[in-house]
Amino acid sequence: MVPSELANALAEAGQRMDRHGWVPGSAGNLSARIDDTTIAITRSGVHKGRLTAADIMAVNYDGSAVTPGTKPSAETLLHCQLYRLFPPIGAVLHGHSVAATVLSMQGAITFSNYEILKAFGFSTHELDVILPVYENDQDIARLAAYIEPLITRDPPIGYAIAGHGVYAWGTSVEHAFWRLEALEFLLQCELERRRSK
Amino acid sequence: MVPSELANALAEAGQRMDRHGWVPGSAGNLSARIDDTTIAITRSGVHKGRLTAADIMAVNYDGSAVTPGTKPSAETLLHCQLYRLFPPIGAVLHGHSVAATVLSMQGAITFSNYEILKAFGFSTHELDVILPVYENDQDIARLAAYIEPLITRDPPIGYAIAGHGVYAWGTSVEHAFWRLEALEFLLQCELERRRSK
Amino acid sequence: MVPSELANALAEAGQRMDRHGWVPGSAGNLSARIDDTTIAITRSGVHKGRLTAADIMAVNYDGSAVTPGTKPSAETLLHCQLYRLFPPIGAVLHGHSVAATVLSMQGAITFSNYEILKAFGFSTHELDVILPVYENDQDIARLAAYIEPLITRDPPIGYAIAGHGVYAWGTSVEHAFWRLEALEFLLQCELERRRSK
Amino acid sequence: MVPSELANALAEAGQRMDRHGWVPGSAGNLSARIDDTTIAITRSGVHKGRLTAADIMAVNYDGSAVTPGTKPSAETLLHCQLYRLFPPIGAVLHGHSVAATVLSMQGAITFSNYEILKAFGFSTHELDVILPVYENDQDIARLAAYIEPLITRDPPIGYAIAGHGVYAWGTSVEHAFWRLEALEFLLQCELERRRSK
């Protein structure tokens, strides 16, 4: 069901996220668009550092499993929402870094004048980019409904959920990983700046 | 004596703990329940990053070696206590991280509103979870006796010993590692929050 | 066009930089002098942790590709400038570390009394060494023109671009990596010192 | 000249030190006692993360090369001094960590009540252990002469040189590495404690 190239790319991205320390325990989830009816996503309850292609399953755009019996990640609906709203998105990565967790508990995050902002398609570093932070909610359908008008009106470079982590995306798994890495780098820089002030 | 599957799982968990920097020198100890009379545990004086199945020995529930002549970890009795008190526990991991060492010297630790708390079986992130911190004591039997009524009355998600490290557990070696990773992540977050205040 | 020994050395240096976390996303660029007409440099848009010899291309000293069709790194002109001005330079490495990014946003950086300063050829640790910080500019030709008189008059141990990262160099790829590592170590020390004050 | 077992153990210890980030550039040096006339030590100007057995040479107790033509580490005399003064020492490791460099610039370092102090042979954690910090000096013979009465009178668990790094030792290469790891762990804890105060 899931093309093996896609499953392998997601498994490898999980291992890279683990080497960075962004997926403690069984945290985090990774997905990629298969076609206009199905999405490949990590199944629930796997350590992302030990991810193999066998841990990737197919879901429909409403978040239900294509093959009943396996359970997708709890936050599958947030992934589906991004694919539905933004056609260029080919992959979505969600992790829990220390920097994202701590900073997202302290309110909105603005990144100013960083060269690395160019990783998100800006042609200059001279700008202020806001990473939106949404309140955490265990009711994922309700959280998705809350987020929808906000990201539709003003598509962000990614978003954070308070005390929880970040969502990043790109046109491919590799591209999504680059953007996640750039985002986590920016969060790390902000954490350092707040410390040394 | 020790099933090779269990010995290999413990050796691998030691290597993972080492990659995180949680077992400096020969610090830390790892165990798993074999059956209702014996426990597999790391022998004394081994670097946990170089752990092999041959470094895992069997002890009785009173902490004595099944095969006399090899010496189990100094803190074996704390492991035995957990298996005796809590039947679902299948594995116990003890490490010395910088975050656990430093925070445990500053008194009780409370984790509030972290998504990752769900790794410990909670169904919501909206709660305050206390990680108990016990005074360090070189007399392990006395330390175990002190801890016993406290963890029996109110089973914690793990515990810390001041200036020493944490004990984490789970139903299997893999599950115990996930919970240790989640606990260390929470400690890291707390350390960052105290810094940036 | 690019000698394979040089291409392999650059690819390996990229992987080492990635293990340190200095090349998030597709950030950073690496080069080596081939001869007095051409330079080997990373092509644009590659993750430096996955660099292979095939990602290294040849450019002329004016920054143009020897074989049209491939696009060199955006900052190629800064590399060319260093080779043109300083004949002993055999390799140039540019990365984006958290420490370099954060510190370069806070103004000039002075390193005092560090033993590791000897990595830059000084025979004593008892000295103050300034790492110049230049304003970031997306117009690389203009940035190079601004930098030229400054580094010619007083050749530094490397330089930083504000909010962007550092440039380091050496007689070979290996030597340039040593100096980059020493520079990043000094930046890390400075970040710690500013925190604990 | 150097037994291959010893050379391999030193090469591996260098790689482990590099993974911790304690040997930036070509910093650090490692040695082991061969017998009562010769010592195995890293030659000058090698990256310790790429150390091979071929980079280990033999020197006499006065620091001179057994086979003329190769140059031992600049700080060879400090290694020789430790072997001469303390017969149980079998290996000496010197590295430059960020924590050791920064803390050694702020004066004497005292470790209190850490469990990990037991790695140095103490039977309790309830004690204050001082890590002596000596002024840095490029004249190694003079530095050795200055240190000699101090470490003879009151043998420390290791020592630091200001702005430079630490010296650690043990009965074997493995044991010296454990003690270095414990020492660096303690320094990391102290750095964190000073930050969060």
Side-chain angles (χ1 to χ4, degrees), chain A residues 24-27 45 47 50 75 96-98 101-102 105-106 136 138 163-164 191 195, chain B residues 12 16 112-116 118 123-125 174 178 181 185 188-189 192-193 195-196:
Chain A
S26 67
H47 193 286
R50 331 195 103 196
E75 291 156 38
H96 297 208
S97 72
V98 168
T101 301
V102 170
M105 286 171 136
Q106 299 174 356
N136 198 5
Q138 296 307 322
H164 185 151
L191 203 60
R195 268 186 211 155
Chain B
E12 194 203 17
R16 289 168 98 181
S112 303
N113 305 323
Y114 289 101
E115 172 73 12
I116 201 94
K118 288 171 59 195
S123 57
T124 175
H125 62 277
E174 182 70 14
W178 290 10
E181 217 174 33
F185 180 84
Q188 199 80 48
C189 287
E192 288 295 339
R193 290 182 72 180
R195 266 185 213 156
S196 55

mmCIF file of all heavy atoms in Angstrom, chain A residues 24-27 45 47 50 75 96-98 101-102 105-106 136 138 163-164 191 195, chain B residues 12 16 112-116 118 123-125 174 178 181 185 188-189 192-193 195-196:
data_model
loop_
_atom_site.group_PDB
_atom_site.id
_atom_site.type_symbol
_atom_site.label_atom_id
_atom_site.label_comp_id
_atom_site.label_asym_id
_atom_site.label_seq_id
_atom_site.Cartn_x
_atom_site.Cartn_y
_atom_site.Cartn_z
ATOM 1 N N PRO A 24 11.733 11.573 22.040
ATOM 2 C CA PRO A 24 11.910 10.746 23.246
ATOM 3 C C PRO A 24 10.755 9.771 23.437
ATOM 4 O O PRO A 24 9.604 10.115 23.178
ATOM 5 C CB PRO A 24 11.939 11.787 24.371
ATOM 6 C CG PRO A 24 11.204 12.968 23.823
ATOM 7 C CD PRO A 24 11.533 12.991 22.356
ATOM 8 N N GLY A 25 11.053 8.578 23.936
ATOM 9 C CA GLY A 25 10.016 7.553 24.136
ATOM 10 C C GLY A 25 9.425 7.173 22.795
ATOM 11 O O GLY A 25 10.152 6.875 21.852
ATOM 12 N N SER A 26 8.116 7.175 22.690
ATOM 13 C CA SER A 26 7.515 6.885 21.371
ATOM 14 C C SER A 26 6.930 8.162 20.776
ATOM 15 O O SER A 26 6.055 8.125 19.912
ATOM 16 C CB SER A 26 6.446 5.798 21.499
ATOM 17 O OG SER A 26 5.359 6.290 22.252
ATOM 18 N N ALA A 27 7.445 9.315 21.222
ATOM 19 C CA ALA A 27 6.940 10.609 20.760
ATOM 20 C C ALA A 27 7.220 10.844 19.283
ATOM 21 O O ALA A 27 8.092 10.213 18.694
ATOM 22 C CB ALA A 27 7.570 11.741 21.579
ATOM 23 N N GLY A 45 2.751 4.082 18.772
ATOM 24 C CA GLY A 45 3.527 3.279 19.720
ATOM 25 C C GLY A 45 4.790 2.640 19.200
ATOM 26 O O GLY A 45 5.089 1.488 19.517
ATOM 27 N N HIS A 47 9.113 3.488 18.662
ATOM 28 C CA HIS A 47 10.202 4.425 18.911
ATOM 29 C C HIS A 47 10.718 4.875 17.554
ATOM 30 O O HIS A 47 11.095 4.044 16.733
ATOM 31 C CB HIS A 47 11.316 3.759 19.718
ATOM 32 C CG HIS A 47 12.306 4.743 20.261
ATOM 33 N ND1 HIS A 47 13.241 5.361 19.477
ATOM 34 C CD2 HIS A 47 12.477 5.257 21.499
ATOM 35 C CE1 HIS A 47 13.957 6.187 20.225
ATOM 36 N NE2 HIS A 47 13.509 6.149 21.464
ATOM 37 N N ARG A 50 13.941 3.615 15.931
ATOM 38 C CA ARG A 50 13.995 2.210 15.521
ATOM 39 C C ARG A 50 12.985 1.952 14.423
ATOM 40 O O ARG A 50 12.602 0.815 14.168
ATOM 41 C CB ARG A 50 13.667 1.306 16.698
ATOM 42 C CG ARG A 50 14.041 1.867 18.040
ATOM 43 C CD ARG A 50 14.022 0.783 19.079
ATOM 44 N NE ARG A 50 15.392 0.419 19.328
ATOM 45 C CZ ARG A 50 15.796 -0.681 19.950
ATOM 46 N NH1 ARG A 50 14.900 -1.556 20.364
ATOM 47 N NH2 ARG A 50 17.063 -0.922 20.133
ATOM 48 N N GLU A 75 -2.090 11.770 16.395
ATOM 49 C CA GLU A 75 -2.280 13.098 15.819
ATOM 50 C C GLU A 75 -2.425 13.089 14.295
ATOM 51 O O GLU A 75 -2.162 14.086 13.622
ATOM 52 C CB GLU A 75 -1.129 14.006 16.256
ATOM 53 C CG GLU A 75 -1.223 14.292 17.743
ATOM 54 C CD GLU A 75 0.107 14.654 18.366
ATOM 55 O OE1 GLU A 75 0.887 15.348 17.700
ATOM 56 O OE2 GLU A 75 0.357 14.246 19.514
ATOM 57 N N HIS A 96 9.300 16.373 19.284
ATOM 58 C CA HIS A 96 9.259 17.011 20.608
ATOM 59 C C HIS A 96 10.682 17.341 21.034
ATOM 60 O O HIS A 96 11.323 16.516 21.697
ATOM 61 C CB HIS A 96 8.725 16.025 21.662
ATOM 62 C CG HIS A 96 7.327 15.546 21.497
ATOM 63 N ND1 HIS A 96 6.565 15.158 22.571
ATOM 64 C CD2 HIS A 96 6.543 15.382 20.413
ATOM 65 C CE1 HIS A 96 5.358 14.759 22.140
ATOM 66 N NE2 HIS A 96 5.323 14.880 20.839
ATOM 67 N N SER A 97 11.206 18.477 20.679
ATOM 68 C CA SER A 97 12.530 18.823 21.174
ATOM 69 C C SER A 97 12.414 19.549 22.495
ATOM 70 O O SER A 97 11.356 20.095 22.834
ATOM 71 C CB SER A 97 13.258 19.711 20.171
ATOM 72 O OG SER A 97 12.675 20.997 20.175
ATOM 73 N N VAL A 98 13.494 19.576 23.252
ATOM 74 C CA VAL A 98 13.520 20.328 24.510
ATOM 75 C C VAL A 98 13.282 21.809 24.215
ATOM 76 O O VAL A 98 12.460 22.450 24.875
ATOM 77 C CB VAL A 98 14.865 20.117 25.241
ATOM 78 C CG1 VAL A 98 15.033 21.101 26.392
ATOM 79 C CG2 VAL A 98 14.949 18.681 25.759
ATOM 80 N N THR A 101 9.638 22.491 23.269
ATOM 81 C CA THR A 101 8.746 22.275 24.412
ATOM 82 C C THR A 101 8.816 23.452 25.374
ATOM 83 O O THR A 101 7.797 24.015 25.782
ATOM 84 C CB THR A 101 9.130 20.957 25.120
ATOM 85 O OG1 THR A 101 9.002 19.898 24.170
ATOM 86 C CG2 THR A 101 8.220 20.683 26.298
ATOM 87 N N VAL A 102 10.024 23.834 25.725
ATOM 88 C CA VAL A 102 10.201 24.909 26.714
ATOM 89 C C VAL A 102 9.737 26.258 26.155
ATOM 90 O O VAL A 102 8.975 26.978 26.802
ATOM 91 C CB VAL A 102 11.678 24.972 27.152
ATOM 92 C CG1 VAL A 102 11.953 26.221 27.980
ATOM 93 C CG2 VAL A 102 12.033 23.719 27.944
ATOM 94 N N MET A 105 5.992 26.941 25.790
ATOM 95 C CA MET A 105 5.266 27.184 27.042
ATOM 96 C C MET A 105 5.379 28.644 27.475
ATOM 97 O O MET A 105 4.746 29.052 28.450
ATOM 98 C CB MET A 105 5.826 26.283 28.143
ATOM 99 C CG MET A 105 5.390 24.838 27.981
ATOM 100 S SD MET A 105 6.268 23.755 29.133
ATOM 101 C CE MET A 105 4.905 22.707 29.727
ATOM 102 N N GLN A 106 6.218 29.408 26.771
ATOM 103 C CA GLN A 106 6.432 30.809 27.167
ATOM 104 C C GLN A 106 5.777 31.783 26.200
ATOM 105 O O GLN A 106 6.081 32.976 26.235
ATOM 106 C CB GLN A 106 7.940 31.093 27.263
ATOM 107 C CG GLN A 106 8.651 30.230 28.286
ATOM 108 C CD GLN A 106 10.172 30.411 28.283
ATOM 109 O OE1 GLN A 106 10.721 31.144 27.461
ATOM 110 N NE2 GLN A 106 10.850 29.752 29.211
ATOM 111 N N ASN A 136 -2.315 23.288 23.636
ATOM 112 C CA ASN A 136 -2.393 21.841 23.496
ATOM 113 C C ASN A 136 -3.818 21.367 23.802
ATOM 114 O O ASN A 136 -4.516 21.980 24.605
ATOM 115 C CB ASN A 136 -1.402 21.178 24.465
ATOM 116 C CG ASN A 136 -1.085 19.729 24.088
ATOM 117 O OD1 ASN A 136 -1.525 19.237 23.052
ATOM 118 N ND2 ASN A 136 -0.319 19.061 24.931
ATOM 119 N N GLN A 138 -6.065 17.446 23.890
ATOM 120 C CA GLN A 138 -6.058 16.004 23.617
ATOM 121 C C GLN A 138 -7.136 15.612 22.609
ATOM 122 O O GLN A 138 -7.100 14.519 22.052
ATOM 123 C CB GLN A 138 -6.214 15.191 24.916
ATOM 124 C CG GLN A 138 -5.042 15.371 25.883
ATOM 125 C CD GLN A 138 -3.686 15.097 25.251
ATOM 126 O OE1 GLN A 138 -3.530 14.196 24.435
ATOM 127 N NE2 GLN A 138 -2.692 15.906 25.600
ATOM 128 N N GLY A 163 3.996 23.175 25.057
ATOM 129 C CA GLY A 163 4.448 22.073 25.898
ATOM 130 C C GLY A 163 4.496 20.742 25.172
ATOM 131 O O GLY A 163 4.556 19.677 25.791
ATOM 132 N N HIS A 164 4.509 20.790 23.874
ATOM 133 C CA HIS A 164 4.304 19.577 23.097
ATOM 134 C C HIS A 164 5.347 19.399 21.992
ATOM 135 O O HIS A 164 5.991 18.353 21.909
ATOM 136 C CB HIS A 164 2.869 19.649 22.535
ATOM 137 C CG HIS A 164 2.414 18.437 21.800
ATOM 138 N ND1 HIS A 164 1.103 18.055 21.725
ATOM 139 C CD2 HIS A 164 3.091 17.528 21.072
ATOM 140 C CE1 HIS A 164 1.004 16.962 20.993
ATOM 141 N NE2 HIS A 164 2.189 16.618 20.590
ATOM 142 N N LEU A 191 16.496 30.019 22.462
ATOM 143 C CA LEU A 191 16.688 29.565 23.838
ATOM 144 C C LEU A 191 17.998 30.135 24.383
ATOM 145 O O LEU A 191 18.059 30.626 25.512
ATOM 146 C CB LEU A 191 16.719 28.030 23.843
ATOM 147 C CG LEU A 191 16.375 27.337 25.156
ATOM 148 C CD1 LEU A 191 14.985 27.694 25.619
ATOM 149 C CD2 LEU A 191 16.449 25.812 24.971
ATOM 150 N N ARG A 195 18.606 32.976 27.433
ATOM 151 C CA ARG A 195 19.473 32.655 28.568
ATOM 152 C C ARG A 195 20.501 33.737 28.815
ATOM 153 O O ARG A 195 20.789 34.080 29.951
ATOM 154 C CB ARG A 195 20.281 31.405 28.233
ATOM 155 C CG ARG A 195 19.671 30.139 28.654
ATOM 156 C CD ARG A 195 20.724 29.075 28.350
ATOM 157 N NE ARG A 195 20.074 27.828 28.032
ATOM 158 C CZ ARG A 195 20.618 26.888 27.300
ATOM 159 N NH1 ARG A 195 21.816 27.079 26.774
ATOM 160 N NH2 ARG A 195 19.979 25.790 27.077
ATOM 161 N N GLU B 12 21.884 -3.785 24.943
ATOM 162 C CA GLU B 12 21.574 -2.732 23.972
ATOM 163 C C GLU B 12 21.062 -1.466 24.683
ATOM 164 O O GLU B 12 21.398 -0.347 24.296
ATOM 165 C CB GLU B 12 20.531 -3.231 22.973
ATOM 166 C CG GLU B 12 20.419 -2.332 21.761
ATOM 167 C CD GLU B 12 19.074 -2.467 21.062
ATOM 168 O OE1 GLU B 12 18.119 -2.992 21.685
ATOM 169 O OE2 GLU B 12 18.985 -2.013 19.907
ATOM 170 N N ARG B 16 22.442 2.394 24.482
ATOM 171 C CA ARG B 16 21.611 3.573 24.197
ATOM 172 C C ARG B 16 21.750 4.614 25.320
ATOM 173 O O ARG B 16 21.801 5.816 25.045
ATOM 174 C CB ARG B 16 20.136 3.167 24.066
ATOM 175 C CG ARG B 16 19.813 2.381 22.813
ATOM 176 C CD ARG B 16 18.425 1.748 22.878
ATOM 177 N NE ARG B 16 17.416 2.525 22.182
ATOM 178 C CZ ARG B 16 16.121 2.171 22.112
ATOM 179 N NH1 ARG B 16 15.685 1.077 22.728
ATOM 180 N NH2 ARG B 16 15.259 2.910 21.463
ATOM 181 N N SER B 112 4.690 20.050 34.998
ATOM 182 C CA SER B 112 3.326 20.537 34.772
ATOM 183 C C SER B 112 3.019 20.753 33.288
ATOM 184 O O SER B 112 3.757 21.468 32.602
ATOM 185 C CB SER B 112 3.124 21.876 35.494
ATOM 186 O OG SER B 112 3.383 21.744 36.861
ATOM 187 N N ASN B 113 1.926 20.149 32.851
ATOM 188 C CA ASN B 113 1.372 20.448 31.520
ATOM 189 C C ASN B 113 2.214 20.020 30.327
ATOM 190 O O ASN B 113 2.057 20.551 29.235
ATOM 191 C CB ASN B 113 1.059 21.951 31.402
ATOM 192 C CG ASN B 113 0.142 22.416 32.516
ATOM 193 O OD1 ASN B 113 -0.756 21.692 32.913
ATOM 194 N ND2 ASN B 113 0.389 23.599 33.036
ATOM 195 N N TYR B 114 3.093 19.064 30.508
ATOM 196 C CA TYR B 114 3.895 18.570 29.385
ATOM 197 C C TYR B 114 3.140 17.461 28.645
ATOM 198 O O TYR B 114 2.698 16.488 29.270
ATOM 199 C CB TYR B 114 5.211 17.965 29.888
ATOM 200 C CG TYR B 114 6.223 18.939 30.411
ATOM 201 C CD1 TYR B 114 6.384 19.133 31.773
ATOM 202 C CD2 TYR B 114 7.045 19.653 29.546
ATOM 203 C CE1 TYR B 114 7.347 20.016 32.265
ATOM 204 C CE2 TYR B 114 8.014 20.534 30.028
ATOM 205 C CZ TYR B 114 8.159 20.708 31.393
ATOM 206 O OH TYR B 114 9.116 21.566 31.876
ATOM 207 N N GLU B 115 3.064 17.545 27.349
ATOM 208 C CA GLU B 115 2.464 16.485 26.538
ATOM 209 C C GLU B 115 3.128 15.134 26.814
ATOM 210 O O GLU B 115 2.467 14.096 26.885
ATOM 211 C CB GLU B 115 2.622 16.836 25.044
ATOM 212 C CG GLU B 115 2.218 15.735 24.077
ATOM 213 C CD GLU B 115 0.723 15.516 23.987
ATOM 214 O OE1 GLU B 115 -0.038 16.362 24.492
ATOM 215 O OE2 GLU B 115 0.307 14.485 23.414
ATOM 216 N N ILE B 116 4.440 15.165 26.990
ATOM 217 C CA ILE B 116 5.186 13.908 27.125
ATOM 218 C C ILE B 116 4.796 13.130 28.384
ATOM 219 O O ILE B 116 5.096 11.935 28.502
ATOM 220 C CB ILE B 116 6.712 14.185 27.054
ATOM 221 C CG1 ILE B 116 7.504 12.926 26.677
ATOM 222 C CG2 ILE B 116 7.231 14.731 28.365
ATOM 223 C CD1 ILE B 116 7.772 12.790 25.242
ATOM 224 N N LYS B 118 2.128 11.954 28.913
ATOM 225 C CA LYS B 118 1.282 10.853 28.447
ATOM 226 C C LYS B 118 2.068 9.538 28.294
ATOM 227 O O LYS B 118 1.484 8.459 28.315
ATOM 228 C CB LYS B 118 0.585 11.236 27.141
ATOM 229 C CG LYS B 118 -0.521 12.288 27.375
ATOM 230 C CD LYS B 118 -1.068 12.847 26.077
ATOM 231 C CE LYS B 118 -1.633 11.754 25.212
ATOM 232 N NZ LYS B 118 -1.837 12.247 23.825
ATOM 233 N N SER B 123 -3.892 10.301 30.593
ATOM 234 C CA SER B 123 -4.647 10.539 29.358
ATOM 235 C C SER B 123 -4.734 12.027 29.025
ATOM 236 O O SER B 123 -5.356 12.417 28.055
ATOM 237 C CB SER B 123 -6.039 9.923 29.475
ATOM 238 O OG SER B 123 -6.686 10.472 30.608
ATOM 239 N N THR B 124 -4.116 12.852 29.842
ATOM 240 C CA THR B 124 -4.123 14.286 29.588
ATOM 241 C C THR B 124 -2.762 14.879 29.929
ATOM 242 O O THR B 124 -1.978 14.271 30.661
ATOM 243 C CB THR B 124 -5.201 14.999 30.425
ATOM 244 O OG1 THR B 124 -5.093 16.413 30.215
ATOM 245 C CG2 THR B 124 -5.021 14.726 31.914
ATOM 246 N N HIS B 125 -2.492 16.076 29.380
ATOM 247 C CA HIS B 125 -1.253 16.773 29.728
ATOM 248 C C HIS B 125 -1.523 17.807 30.822
ATOM 249 O O HIS B 125 -0.592 18.418 31.340
ATOM 250 C CB HIS B 125 -0.703 17.490 28.485
ATOM 251 C CG HIS B 125 -1.653 18.528 27.972
ATOM 252 N ND1 HIS B 125 -2.714 18.218 27.149
ATOM 253 C CD2 HIS B 125 -1.753 19.857 28.208
ATOM 254 C CE1 HIS B 125 -3.417 19.310 26.885
ATOM 255 N NE2 HIS B 125 -2.852 20.316 27.511
ATOM 256 N N GLU B 174 12.392 -2.430 26.544
ATOM 257 C CA GLU B 174 12.091 -1.354 25.598
ATOM 258 C C GLU B 174 11.165 -0.311 26.243
ATOM 259 O O GLU B 174 11.404 0.898 26.139
ATOM 260 C CB GLU B 174 11.448 -1.933 24.330
ATOM 261 C CG GLU B 174 11.126 -0.929 23.229
ATOM 262 C CD GLU B 174 12.345 -0.345 22.539
ATOM 263 O OE1 GLU B 174 13.457 -0.881 22.705
ATOM 264 O OE2 GLU B 174 12.203 0.688 21.831
ATOM 265 N N TRP B 178 11.823 3.705 27.066
ATOM 266 C CA TRP B 178 10.969 4.811 26.616
ATOM 267 C C TRP B 178 10.637 5.731 27.787
ATOM 268 O O TRP B 178 10.655 6.947 27.642
ATOM 269 C CB TRP B 178 9.645 4.281 26.049
ATOM 270 C CG TRP B 178 9.760 3.568 24.766
ATOM 271 C CD1 TRP B 178 10.896 3.168 24.132
ATOM 272 C CD2 TRP B 178 8.674 3.155 23.950
ATOM 273 N NE1 TRP B 178 10.573 2.521 22.965
ATOM 274 C CE2 TRP B 178 9.223 2.491 22.828
ATOM 275 C CE3 TRP B 178 7.288 3.249 24.054
ATOM 276 C CZ2 TRP B 178 8.434 1.958 21.813
ATOM 277 C CZ3 TRP B 178 6.498 2.717 23.043
ATOM 278 C CH2 TRP B 178 7.072 2.075 21.942
ATOM 279 N N GLU B 181 13.648 7.701 28.859
ATOM 280 C CA GLU B 181 13.897 8.760 27.881
ATOM 281 C C GLU B 181 12.914 9.916 28.098
ATOM 282 O O GLU B 181 13.290 11.090 28.044
ATOM 283 C CB GLU B 181 13.770 8.192 26.467
ATOM 284 C CG GLU B 181 14.771 8.763 25.490
ATOM 285 C CD GLU B 181 14.715 8.075 24.123
ATOM 286 O OE1 GLU B 181 13.620 7.659 23.694
ATOM 287 O OE2 GLU B 181 15.760 7.968 23.477
ATOM 288 N N PHE B 185 13.905 13.620 29.362
ATOM 289 C CA PHE B 185 13.457 14.745 28.548
ATOM 290 C C PHE B 185 12.788 15.791 29.443
ATOM 291 O O PHE B 185 13.068 16.989 29.341
ATOM 292 C CB PHE B 185 12.464 14.240 27.486
ATOM 293 C CG PHE B 185 11.922 15.308 26.581
ATOM 294 C CD1 PHE B 185 12.632 15.714 25.462
ATOM 295 C CD2 PHE B 185 10.703 15.920 26.850
ATOM 296 C CE1 PHE B 185 12.134 16.713 24.624
ATOM 297 C CE2 PHE B 185 10.192 16.908 26.017
ATOM 298 C CZ PHE B 185 10.908 17.307 24.905
ATOM 299 N N GLN B 188 15.386 17.607 31.490
ATOM 300 C CA GLN B 188 16.094 18.543 30.620
ATOM 301 C C GLN B 188 15.247 19.812 30.423
ATOM 302 O O GLN B 188 15.770 20.930 30.498
ATOM 303 C CB GLN B 188 16.306 17.850 29.270
ATOM 304 C CG GLN B 188 17.371 18.423 28.405
ATOM 305 C CD GLN B 188 18.738 17.970 28.835
ATOM 306 O OE1 GLN B 188 18.952 16.800 29.059
ATOM 307 N NE2 GLN B 188 19.646 18.915 28.961
ATOM 308 N N CYS B 189 13.970 19.632 30.190
ATOM 309 C CA CYS B 189 13.072 20.777 30.025
ATOM 310 C C CYS B 189 13.054 21.627 31.300
ATOM 311 O O CYS B 189 13.134 22.857 31.238
ATOM 312 C CB CYS B 189 11.651 20.318 29.702
ATOM 313 S SG CYS B 189 11.441 19.670 28.030
ATOM 314 N N GLU B 192 16.153 23.701 31.644
ATOM 315 C CA GLU B 192 16.101 24.858 30.734
ATOM 316 C C GLU B 192 15.169 25.938 31.279
ATOM 317 O O GLU B 192 15.475 27.128 31.209
ATOM 318 C CB GLU B 192 15.589 24.429 29.357
ATOM 319 C CG GLU B 192 16.549 23.614 28.541
ATOM 320 C CD GLU B 192 17.800 24.388 28.140
ATOM 321 O OE1 GLU B 192 17.787 25.629 28.138
ATOM 322 O OE2 GLU B 192 18.805 23.730 27.852
ATOM 323 N N ARG B 193 14.025 25.520 31.803
ATOM 324 C CA ARG B 193 13.065 26.511 32.314
ATOM 325 C C ARG B 193 13.631 27.277 33.493
ATOM 326 O O ARG B 193 13.436 28.479 33.610
ATOM 327 C CB ARG B 193 11.776 25.820 32.750
ATOM 328 C CG ARG B 193 10.997 25.296 31.573
ATOM 329 C CD ARG B 193 9.723 24.657 32.008
ATOM 330 N NE ARG B 193 8.778 25.671 32.442
ATOM 331 C CZ ARG B 193 7.571 25.406 32.890
ATOM 332 N NH1 ARG B 193 7.169 24.153 32.988
ATOM 333 N NH2 ARG B 193 6.774 26.366 33.255
ATOM 334 N N ARG B 195 16.725 27.869 34.042
ATOM 335 C CA ARG B 195 17.786 28.743 33.533
ATOM 336 C C ARG B 195 17.225 30.035 32.959
ATOM 337 O O ARG B 195 17.775 31.105 33.164
ATOM 338 C CB ARG B 195 18.474 28.064 32.358
ATOM 339 C CG ARG B 195 19.675 27.283 32.704
ATOM 340 C CD ARG B 195 20.246 26.820 31.383
ATOM 341 N NE ARG B 195 20.870 25.522 31.526
ATOM 342 C CZ ARG B 195 21.042 24.683 30.547
ATOM 343 N NH1 ARG B 195 20.592 24.992 29.340
ATOM 344 N NH2 ARG B 195 21.644 23.552 30.747
ATOM 345 N N SER B 196 16.170 29.887 32.159
ATOM 346 C CA SER B 196 15.725 31.061 31.401
ATOM 347 C C SER B 196 14.790 31.948 32.208
ATOM 348 O O SER B 196 14.365 32.981 31.735
ATOM 349 C CB SER B 196 15.079 30.612 30.081
ATOM 350 O OG SER B 196 14.050 29.698 30.306
#
